Amino acid sequence: MRRIAVPLAVGLVATMLAAAILAPWLAPHDPALTDLSRRLLPPSAGHWLGTDHLGRDLLSRLLWGARASFAAVAAILALVLTLGCAVGMVAGLLGGAVDALLMRVCDAFMTVPTLVLALFMIGALGTGLTNVVVAIALSHWAWYARLVRGVTLTLRGRDYVAAAQVAGLSRLAIMRRHLLPALAGPLAVLASLDLGHWMLHVAGLSFLGLGLAPPAAEWGIMINDARPFFRTAPMLVVLPGAAILLTVVGFNLLGDAVRDRLDPAMPDHVH
């Protein structure tokens, strides 16, 4: 089963990522172009997957929706890694009161379910994709800070780190030369397990009207827009839903494969 799962995961993620990157060239029409005379058309040579209730090409919107979703997840990943690494390494290297304070802050973030915390953040920051990205990142960084701190505490006592300190290397140089390479594996495992989770958050918040606003092409928005037409045109809901499902399944399978390869002893985590 595992021999099938890994190629399947790579294939799913690679296909969706390629669609996202190549959307400007693959999309046959402008995803926001409306034409009410062509509303709810079935698949045809001009519109391979048909059109939606405003006459917009469904294939083009799916492709551009992939671009929006992957861009959001990539931005979340960058923010989470930056904040988590910064806080975790500072706490691990400085120790003492700084470590205790930063870890209590992490504990406070980790006690609240991530979706609830993200909704609270959006309430404070306002709606929009940028704020959704920031809110999701702020609701997940604490797990990464905890992991980085633990690895940093383990490495801080190693001889080569002590030698670097004696040699006069700054803490920033020690982080860059000795800590970051050691953190790459554990962070890759944790991040790979979270990518699908973040994708669902982005789509769910957009579905609720908290992310991108119509007429932007995004999978959560497409599902929300298509709800009134589910009985008459179910594919308007099924296709973006299937895109989300396949992408999340691909991320989850890929995350399991990365975990088994790099850190088989690491338990599943639930946010």
Side-chain angles (χ1 to χ4, degrees), residues 86-220:
V87 172
M89 284 193 287
V90 168
L93 285 175
L94 296 183
V98 174
D99 180 26
L101 175 62
L102 292 176
M103 289 305 100
R104 297 298 77 74
V105 174
C106 287
D107 291 342
F109 276 84
M110 294 171 69
T111 56
V112 183
T114 53
L115 182 57
V116 174
L117 186 56
L119 289 170
F120 171 79
M121 294 290 181
I122 293 171
L125 298 172
T127 59
L129 184 60
T130 300
N131 289 338
V132 163
V133 167
V134 172
I136 296 174
L138 289 177
S139 64
H140 287 82
W141 68 273
W143 278 267
Y144 292 76
R146 276 282 185 184
L147 173 65
V148 171
R149 172 191 178 262
V151 175
T152 302
L153 287 175
T154 301
L155 296 178
R156 191 175 65 176
R158 299 288 175 86
D159 292 340
Y160 62 86
V161 175
Q165 291 174 330
V166 172
L169 283 183
S170 66
R171 287 193 174 97
L172 184 61
I174 292 174
M175 290 178 186
R176 186 177 65 252
R177 295 184 185 181
H178 300 294
L179 297 183
L180 287 178
L183 286 167
L187 286 175
V189 173
L190 186 57
S192 65
L193 293 169
D194 270 336
L195 293 173
H197 181 70
W198 295 337
M199 181 73 75
L200 282 176
H201 271 12
V202 171
L205 293 171
S206 293
F207 175 83
L208 295 174
L210 302 176
L212 281 173
E218 197 277 334
W219 291 337

Side-chain angles (χ1 to χ4, degrees), residues 75-89 141 144-145 148 187:
I76 293 167
L77 176 62
L79 287 175
V80 166
L81 290 179
T82 300
L83 185 57
C85 285
V87 172
M89 284 193 287
W141 68 273
Y144 292 76
V148 171
L187 286 175

